[in-house]
Structures are given as C-alpha cells and as structure tokens.
C-alpha cells in the first residue's frame, strides 16, 4: 500500500520549477499533487504524477536530479477531525512524520493526505489496523 | 634610504662577478651535498664546472615544489641538522608540506635582507613596528621580526588577528610602521573607522605589505585610509621568506636582492628564458643559502623583470607586481588554496560527485569562498534536513583541510560547465 512520489532537486532561482512543469506538460504527464520545500539555496519539489517512471526517466534525461521514494497516501473524510483521527494512530505507534501535504481527490467529501514517516512499514500496519484507507498510484481517485 | 649602500648600489659589473662567484659555490655545494641535485644534473649531462658564466645557469634543470615534497622533510638540505638552527614549513594542505631550513648564516642573511627591506620603506631604529604577520611556521612574522631587531627598531610581535586590540595598541603604543598582508591592512582600516578613529589619531608612517597579490587601487585605498606609505614586499619560504624583493619609496617595482638571489623570467610552457619586460613565470636561484640551496625554483608567480635603473640609486633589477599564477592556486585571506584540495575532500564523500566550482568574492573587505557542488544520483535529497547535514559535512571537511571558512552550495547536476580541456574550477570575482 505504497504511493510512489518523485522528488526533484531544484536550485532556488526563478524559472526552475517551471522547467520541470514544462517538460511534464510536453509529455502529457499529469501532476496530481505537489509541494515545494525551500531553503535559501535550494528547493525540493515533491510530486505525485500519473506516470512516475516515465516522469523520472524524462527528467533524468534532462539532467535533473530525481528520486522516487515511497510515501503513504491516506484517504479520509473531508470533515472536522478527519486528519486528527489519522494522526492519533501514528502518534500512538510512536511514528514520526518527516513531512506531509494534503490535497483534494476527485471523490466528493474525501481528502487525501501524503505522509513521509520514519518507520514506513510499521506506520502502514497501524493505519490499516485502524481502518484507515490507503491509496496507491493506481487508484481511481487519480483518474 | 639604504641599509647597506655598498651592496644595494654595487656597480652592475661588480654585482655580476659576485653573483657568478657565489653561484658557482652554490652549484658545487648542491651537487655534492644534495642527492636530488646531483641526480638531475647528471641526468642532464652536467657537472658543477659546466657553470662558467651566469648565462650557463640556463642549462640547469628547474626545481619545483614537487621536488621538495618528494624529498620531504630534509632531503633537499645541504647541511646536517646539527648546523640547522631554524625550520619553517608550508601548511602542507596540498599534500606533504614543504620544509625549509636555515643555518645560523642563513638567518643572518635573512635578517640583513629584511633590514634592507624595512629601511627601504624608511624604517629607522626610532620606529615602533607593529608586526601583524603571523608568527609560527609561516615565514612572515619571524622574517620581519629579525629584520626589525637588526635595525634596532622596537618591534611589537602582535601577530595576526584580534583587530580591535591591534587598533588599541596601534593608537596607545604609537606604532609608526605596520607590517601585514594588504587585505588585513584594509580590514584594520575598516575597524579603525568603526571604532570612531582615523589616521589622525595614529602615528602610522609606512606599511610593508605582502604575502598575497594586490593592486595599485588597493595601495591607494590603504594609503588613504591608514595615512601611510604602502610598500610591496615579495618572498616565499622556498627561497628564504619575505625579503627576496622589495619596493623603494618610488613604489615602482620591487628591487630584487640580487647579491643573494638570481632572478629569471621564463615562458611557463616552454621553459625558455624571456628578456626583461616580458611577462612570464618568476624563477629564483639562491646564491648564498647554506641549508637549502635552491637552483632555478619555479615560483608559479607571474611577473616581469624591469631592467632600467631606478631613481633611488639601487643598481638591482626590479620585478613588477605579481600579476597572477601559472597554476590554479588562489590566495584567500592569505591562505594558499588549490582546487585539488577540495576535489580530494569531495572524492571522500560518497553522496556527491567531485563536480565542483569555487567562487571567490570579496564582501566588504573580506574574501568569501563559496564551493558549489553538484548533487547526484547518490545524493539522498528527499529531505531538507539530510541535505543540510550533507552540506554541513562537506563544509566541515573542507574547512578542516583548508583552514579557512567557506560556504557550500549544492547545485543541480550538470550545472557546472564541463570543458574540453581543463575545467574552470575557480571563478574569482574579486577586484583587487
């Protein structure tokens, strides 16, 4: 129950983010979710796309530093307390969240949250046991 | 002002005769006492008696820094350690340090030459010399120190650093002469201003600045801000230390101490000796050094010989300002830095490729070094904190090797231009 995410190393200068989006656009790769972590000198662009392997390949061909990493994607109720319930499970399992970002899926009344955690397989176990719905790259929420 | 008029103003014919006589002895000593010199002379079919005129020196092979390293630590010494009274050495950051030794006579010679250099800047025994060159293995501090004592001036052996204290002492002790690197002189000037003082609060009259390249613009700035006459001095430990050449009050080229050193300028690619006026690599031969005779040492410094007679009355040839280096060495805050040192550090860090570039700039008065390193497939860059700890790791390693602080910046793969031949490793944006 793994979501594959692309990380792209970018220099913190104008035009670098667009360089990535232009390439993906020209290959008709759809970006489903995106977050940008920034520091003074560089940024890390994290992307969920519909075809991670192809996206990685074409970005690498253009000299981008790209990595695929496994993250957890959780589908939850888009109502007050939805996220809190998920975090409670992770906290009880003593799982540390490295970073997280949220976005809307295509299903009404559902929210999607991506987590990068320190203890990956334990986190999945706890979440599944707690009845949380995990999403993979192939789920129909993307379509 | 001369220290030793007889030597400094010796007629050229007499000087040349003295050079040849001394050079013959040096070659003889090197051949018999230093296996390296015997070997390279024999390989070139040379014996000491092949040196019959000063021009014959051109037949002899060059000596390079690498030869000193290959014979580390004492292999190039022509005397036994019982005769050596002092050892200096380079920091050894590019590999093995180069070790230089002095006999009692060598220290005497060096003191004499530094006395000449200080006197050339007008130093008398009434002067108070604030010596802000580093004391230690570096030849700058002790070189000035011995010259000052020879003259009988009062020397304050303050060494470098602690700039506010420097200014306090300069003001309270009434220092009349400042000796340090030109960039440090500018920094001191800045601190003087910050402390609400100016040249009128100080007694400074002259400064003897060297150990790094500088320019006429820097000279103007230093002279204005410190209210003194700024004199350029040249030297390197392999030859003797500071005091190989120094400017006179006309500030137009540095007089070479020709009764102790023979200077040549060569084409660094072919080794061909160039006529006066042409720019090339400075090559020095010592003619009186006992512990470490050195024959045709390639300094890597680029300059020219000025053969015209100087108004000051000294008969020696002069060399122009140092205009650059033949290798990619850069001098940052007085420290010699070779890009290869950084390459070596990066090769030992698994997460990055050794694709790098050094950007040197001057912010205010201080040199800044930025090391740009490309991230690669091997870099775990999904998390900011991992990248930050990688940056810190690279910075710490580089700083411990170079001994100066730097900034490390990770850049995208292939960002640093690859060139066909020699990669451009250094971008020096400083305007000196």
């Amino acid at each position: 129950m793994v979501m594959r995410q692309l990380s792209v190393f970018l220099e913190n200068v104008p035009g670098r983010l667009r360089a990535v989006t232009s390439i993906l656009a020209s290959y008709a790769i759809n970006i489903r979710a995106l977050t940008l972590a920034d520091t003074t000198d560089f940024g890390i662009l994290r992307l969920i796309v519909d075809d991670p392997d192809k996206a990685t390949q074409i970005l690498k061909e253009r000299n981008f530093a790209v990595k695929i990493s496994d993250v957890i994607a959780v589908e939850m109720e888009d109502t007050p307390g939805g996220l809190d319930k998920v975090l409670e499970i992770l906290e009880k399992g003593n799982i540390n969240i490295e970073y997280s970002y949220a976005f809307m899926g295509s299903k009404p009344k559902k929210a999607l949250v991506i987590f990068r955690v320190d203890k990956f397989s334990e986190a999945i176990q706890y979440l599944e046991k707690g009845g949380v719905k995990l999403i993979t790259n192939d789920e129909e929420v993307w379509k | 002002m001369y220290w030793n008029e007889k030597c400094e103003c010796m007629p050229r014919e007499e000087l040349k005769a003295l050079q040849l006589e001394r050079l013959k002895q040096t070659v003889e000593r090197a051949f018999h006492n230093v296996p390296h010199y015997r070997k390279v002379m024999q390989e070139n079919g040379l014996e000491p008696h092949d040196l019959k005129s000063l021009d014959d020196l051109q037949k002899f092979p060059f000596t390079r820094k690498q030869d000193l390293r290959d014979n580390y630590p004492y292999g190039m010494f022509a005397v036994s350690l019982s005769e050596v009274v002092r050892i200096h050495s380079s920091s050894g950051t590019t590999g093995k340090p180069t070790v230089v030794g002095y006999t009692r006579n060598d220290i005497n010679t060096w003191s004499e030459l530094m006395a000449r250099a200080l006197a050339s800047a007008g130093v008398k025994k009434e002067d108070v010399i604030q010596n802000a060159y580093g004391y230690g293995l570096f030849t700058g501090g002790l070189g000035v120190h011995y010259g000052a004592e020879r003259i009988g001036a009062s020397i304050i052996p303050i060494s470098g650093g602690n700039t506010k204290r420097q200014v306090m002492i300069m003001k309270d002790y009434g220092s009349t002469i400042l000796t340090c690197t030109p960039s440090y002189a500018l920094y001191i000037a800045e601190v003087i201003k910050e402390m609400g003082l100016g040249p009128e609060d100080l007694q400074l009259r002259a400064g003897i600045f060297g150990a790094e390249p500088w320019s006429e613009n820097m000279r103007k700035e230093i002279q204005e801000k410190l209210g003194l006459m700024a004199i350029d001095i040249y030297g390197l430990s392999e030859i003797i230390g500071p005091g190989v050449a120094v400017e006179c009050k006309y500030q137009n080229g540095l007089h070479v101490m020709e009764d102790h050193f023979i200077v040549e300028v060569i084409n660094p690619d072919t080794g061909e000796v160039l006529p006066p006026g042409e720019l090339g690599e400075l090559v020095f031969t010592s003619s009186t050094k006992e512990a470490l005779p050195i024959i045709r040492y390639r300094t890597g410094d680029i300059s020219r010989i000025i053969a015209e007679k100087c108004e000051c009355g000294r008969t020696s040839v002069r060399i122009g300002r140092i205009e650059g280096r033949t290798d990619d060495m850069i001098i940052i805050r007085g420290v010699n830095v070779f890009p290869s040192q950084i390459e070596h550090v990066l090769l030992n860090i698994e997460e990055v490729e050794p694709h790098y570039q050094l950007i040197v700039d001057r912010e205010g008065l201080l040199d800044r070094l930025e090391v740009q390193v490309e991230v690669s497939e091997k870099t775990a860059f999904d998390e900011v904190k991992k990248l930050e700890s990688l940056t810190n790791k690279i910075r710490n390693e580089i700083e411990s090797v170079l001994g100066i602080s730097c900034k490390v910046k990770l850049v995208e793969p292939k960002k640093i231009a690859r060139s066909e031949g020699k990669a451009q490793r250094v971008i020096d944006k400083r305007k000196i």
Side-chain angles (χ1 to χ4, degrees):
Chain A
M1 299 306 268
V2 165
M3 177 70 81
R4 296 168 75 222
Q5 168 199 266
L6 259 64
S7 304
V8 186
F9 179 91
L10 295 178
E11 273 172 70
N12 199 349
V13 289
R16 293 314 289 157
L17 177 58
R18 167 115 206 279
V20 175
T21 56
S22 302
I23 293 163
L24 296 181
S26 69
Y27 281 81
I29 288 172
N30 199 6
I31 301 171
R32 309 307 316 229
L34 165 158
T35 179
L36 188 57
D38 76 299
T39 70
T40 324
D41 292 331
F42 61 82
I44 301 168
L45 172 65
R46 303 185 182 110
L47 291 167
I48 306 286
V49 297
D50 54 3
D51 191 344
D53 292 314
K54 188 169 173 208
T56 305
Q57 183 211 328
I58 59 173
L59 287 171
K60 274 190 180 166
E61 282 168 7
R62 281 158 187 78
N63 293 326
F64 282 93
V66 193
K67 269 206 156 51
I68 292 194
S69 45
D70 291 342
V71 291
I72 297 170
V74 173
E75 185 185 275
M76 56 186 71
E77 296 300 321
D78 188 10
T79 52
L83 175 61
D84 188 62
K85 228 167 70 187
V86 175
L87 292 184
E88 188 190 2
I89 295 169
L90 293 175
E91 186 191 331
K92 279 190 177 151
N94 197 26
I95 306 286
N96 193 38
I97 299 168
E98 308 287 357
Y99 58 81
S100 160
Y101 51 104
F103 56 102
M104 308 297 291
S106 53
K107 286 190 202 163
K109 288 278 170 197
K110 296 282 181 194
L112 297 164
V113 179
I114 306 278
F115 293 106
R116 168 82 176 180
V117 296
D118 57 348
K119 289 170 278 187
F120 188 75
S121 34
E122 275 179 56
I124 288 183
Q125 264 180 24
Y126 292 135
L127 289 170
E128 285 185 325
K129 229 194 282 171
V132 175
K133 187 173 182 205
L134 303 181
I135 309 291
T136 67
N137 292 73
D138 305 320
E139 301 280 329
E140 100 285 1
V141 287
W142 304 112
K143 309 298 174 197
Chain B
M1 210 169 84
Y2 313 121
W3 174 251
N4 184 338
E5 189 172 349
K6 184 172 168 283
C7 293
E8 292 176 70
C9 303
M10 188 181 287
R12 281 211 68 82
E13 284 313 306
E14 209 179 305
L15 178 63
K16 285 190 166 175
L18 179 68
Q19 282 186 322
L20 181 60
E21 180 198 323
R22 288 178 166 178
L23 182 61
K24 280 180 175 171
Q25 289 167 11
T26 294
V27 169
E28 192 83 34
R29 244 194 345 264
F31 184 86
H32 291 293
N33 299 340
V34 184
H36 167 80
Y37 283 120
R38 183 160 55 246
K39 183 170 152 267
V40 298
M41 282 185 213
Q42 283 171 342
E43 279 168 4
N44 287 273
L46 293 165
E47 298 272 336
H49 63 76
D50 288 318
L51 187 102
K52 294 188 177 71
S53 70
L54 284 176
D55 285 343
D56 288 337
L57 180 59
Q58 295 183 19
K59 298 178 191 161
F60 286 75
F62 295 113
T63 305
R64 293 159 196 271
K65 198 178 191 72
Q66 190 58 42
D67 296 318
L68 272 75
R69 289 212 184 106
D70 292 345
N71 290 283
Y72 173 86
Y74 302 137
M76 297 293 272
F77 285 16
V79 297
S80 70
L81 283 182
S82 63
E83 291 177 65
V84 170
V85 298
R86 177 89 67 77
I87 290 164
H88 281 283
S89 99
S90 69
S91 50
T93 46
T94 51
K96 276 183 182 160
T98 49
V99 181
V100 299
Y102 301 78
T103 64
R104 195 169 298 281
N105 284 337
D106 291 336
I107 293 288
N108 254 326
T109 304
W110 192 17
S111 307
E112 152 80 18
L113 298 180
M114 280 308 296
R116 286 188 203 173
L118 293 169
S120 176
V123 176
K124 301 191 197 74
K125 55 184 190 181
E126 292 77 16
D127 277 303
V128 177
I129 302 179
Q130 182 153 344
N131 186 15
Y133 282 113
Y135 279 70
L137 284 177
F138 172 57
T139 49
L142 284 166
V144 171
H145 189 98
Y146 274 61
E149 287 199 341
R150 177 63 60 94
I151 287 181
S154 314
I155 188 149
I156 307 171
I158 189 166
S159 204
N162 204 340
T163 310
K164 280 196 174 151
R165 192 181 58 164
Q166 298 264 6
V167 175
M168 190 267 285
I169 285 180
M170 195 176 280
K171 180 170 168 283
D172 295 350
Y173 298 12
S175 306
T176 54
I177 308 291
L178 174 65
T179 52
C180 61
T181 60
S183 58
Y184 192 53
L186 273 178
Y187 186 67
I188 291 176
E190 194 77 351
V191 173
I192 289 172
K193 202 174 154 199
E194 276 169 23
M195 291 168 72
L197 300 170
E200 63 282 359
D201 300 303
L202 306 166
Q203 314 286 320
L204 290 177
R205 196 160 56 75
I208 295 108
F209 306 118
E212 64 185 19
W214 49 316
S215 63
E216 276 311 312
N217 282 338
M218 260 177 100
R219 163 147 45 207
K220 253 191 226 159
E221 206 179 332
I222 293 172
Q223 295 193 147
E224 264 166 40
K225 290 184 169 167
L226 289 175
L228 47 64
M229 176 177 69
I231 291 292
D232 193 4
I233 187 168
Y234 176 80
L236 58 168
S237 63
E238 293 88 340
I239 307 303
I240 201 160
V244 175
V246 71
E247 280 182 339
C248 62
K249 65 174 179 184
Y250 292 98
Q251 298 178 310
N252 184 21
L254 298 87
H255 289 274
V256 177
M257 309 289 184
E258 282 190 283
D259 50 339
H260 296 274
F261 311 108
I262 294 167
V263 60
E264 299 169 276
V265 168
I266 62 159
N267 175 328
D269 299 323
T270 62
E272 175 206 357
V273 175
L274 300 174
E278 281 191 34
L279 210 55
E281 182 177 357
L282 287 175
V283 170
F284 283 97
T285 300
S286 71
S287 65
T288 55
K289 287 260 297 294
E290 293 179 344
L292 187 82
I294 196 133
I295 296 172
R296 305 195 85 199
Y297 186 73
R298 294 187 63 156
T299 61
D301 290 322
I302 293 174
S303 185
R304 55 164 61 86
I305 288 177
I306 305 169
E308 292 79 27
K309 197 166 183 257
C310 180
E311 287 175 77
C312 74
R314 288 178 182 81
T315 49
S316 59
V317 298
R318 285 166 288 162
I319 52 173
R321 275 193 180 283
I322 304 303
E323 304 206 3
R325 294 278 309 171
T326 56
D327 53 23
D328 47 11
M329 185 181 92
I330 40 174
I331 302 179
I332 300 170
R333 281 170 257 153
V335 176
N336 296 351
V337 173
F338 289 89
S340 55
Q341 295 172 270
I342 284 145
E343 181 157 335
H344 188 75
V345 167
L346 296 177
L347 282 169
N348 286 314
I349 295 180
E350 260 178 45
E351 299 94 319
V352 289
E353 297 286 344
H355 296 305
Y356 64 95
Q357 197 161 46
L358 311 183
I359 317 281
V360 192
D361 208 344
R362 186 162 280 172
E363 277 175 28
L365 295 167
L366 283 182
D367 295 338
R368 301 259 178 242
L369 171 64
E370 177 175 295
V371 182
Q372 296 194 345
V373 185
E374 284 183 4
V375 299
S376 77
E377 298 267 300
K378 295 181 286 182
T379 317
F381 54 75
D382 179 44
E383 287 166 39
V384 173
K385 68 179 178 192
K386 283 186 184 156
L387 283 181
E388 283 175 345
S389 77
L390 175 63
T391 308
N392 287 338
K393 178 176 164 185
I394 298 171
R395 197 189 64 229
N396 289 340
E397 303 254 331
I398 292 176
E399 287 180 352
S400 77
V401 168
L402 298 185
I404 54 169
S405 60
C406 68
K407 180 191 170 178
V408 171
K409 182 178 175 180
L410 296 174
V411 298
E412 291 173 26
K414 306 283 192 301
K415 167 78 191 298
I416 293 161
R418 310 289 197 266
S419 70
E420 295 295 315
K422 205 174 162 193
Q424 197 194 358
R425 290 300 185 199
V426 180
I427 296 180
D428 198 336
K429 297 177 173 171
R430 290 176 293 187
K431 290 182 185 66
I432 56 168

